[in-house]
Amino acid sequence: VTLTAGVTLIQIPRGEASGSDSSGESTAHAQGNAAIGLAAVLSACMTSGLAGVYLEKILKQSDASIWMRNIQLGSIGAVLALAGCFMQDGDKIQKDGFMQGYGGIVWAVILLQAVGGLVVAAVLKYADNILKCFGNALSIVLSCLLSASLLQEFVPDMLFVLGTLLVLMATYLYSLGMPQSVQLLWYRVIGQKSKVDAPDDPAV
């Protein structure tokens, strides 16, 4: 809950919507549909969570290496991305080639994405999906800080500071683990429940 609140405060849209015309179309476009947006966010959370847990299961319960799993998943993604490229920009690709516009910055972004995929796979295999979520939250904070310092495209405010503090606090609390007293209480409740659910011994 603390992590979710922190990320929400960081990513709250800043500023007011741009001016509207007499018909009010731009205002309606800026406001959007809250119900559709909420449904889309909840659907994205469900699919992302299920996909992350299933991917962790595949990586941990399989004898295949991380490299093999990344090749398998990357092959599917590459085919779908290539099909999307030709469907959207097929004419431009046929005219100027597939590598048009590739420069140093583009190759650096590609390299970062590739390394990031390997790091995520390693985190899922040797840690867990929850730790990956904390990594994603910290990466959002780091991206905002880099955007503010290098690109001057983001100005930190009190919401950002409060959200960052909540993210750091949630990360620290998760690193501490569950308190010993709560663990003992949990094991005691589980032990009593198992005794109640256990069938009676017919020999007694």
Side-chain angles (χ1 to χ4, degrees), residues 120-142:
V120 169
V123 170
L124 290 176
K125 184 174 180 63
Y126 299 109
D128 54 27
N129 190 54
I130 299 177
L131 191 60
K132 181 182 76 69
C133 294
F134 280 92
N136 290 337
L138 292 176
S139 69
I140 293 174
V141 176
L142 181 60

Side-chain angles (χ1 to χ4, degrees), residues 40-41 52 63 71 77 81 97 113 119 141 144 148 155-156 169-171 175 178 180 184 187 191 195 197:
V41 170
D63 296 332
I71 291 174
Q113 292 288 339
V119 170
V141 176
C144 293
V155 179
M169 183 174 64
T171 306
S175 65
M178 186 180 297
Q180 190 70 22
L184 293 176
Y187 292 146
K195 291 180 180 179
D197 295 340

Side-chain angles (χ1 to χ4, degrees), residues 88-154:
Q88 184 174 356
D89 299 318
D91 297 335
K92 296 180 180 179
I93 293 176
Q94 292 178 0
K95 180 180 179 181
D96 299 325
F98 185 80
M99 307 297 291
Q100 57 177 309
Y102 277 59
I105 297 179
V106 176
W107 284 112
V109 172
I110 294 174
L111 179 61
L112 288 175
Q113 292 288 339
V115 174
L118 294 175
V119 170
V120 169
V123 170
L124 290 176
K125 184 174 180 63
Y126 299 109
D128 54 27
N129 190 54
I130 299 177
L131 191 60
K132 181 182 76 69
C133 294
F134 280 92
N136 290 337
L138 292 176
S139 69
I140 293 174
V141 176
L142 181 60
S143 299
C144 293
L145 292 176
L146 292 177
S147 177
S149 60
L150 299 179
L151 304 177
Q152 285 81 38
E153 293 182 350
F154 174 76

Side-chain angles (χ1 to χ4, degrees), residues 13 19 28 53 61 65 79 83 123 175 184:
V53 173
Q61 297 182 359
S65 63
V79 171
V123 170
S175 65
L184 293 176

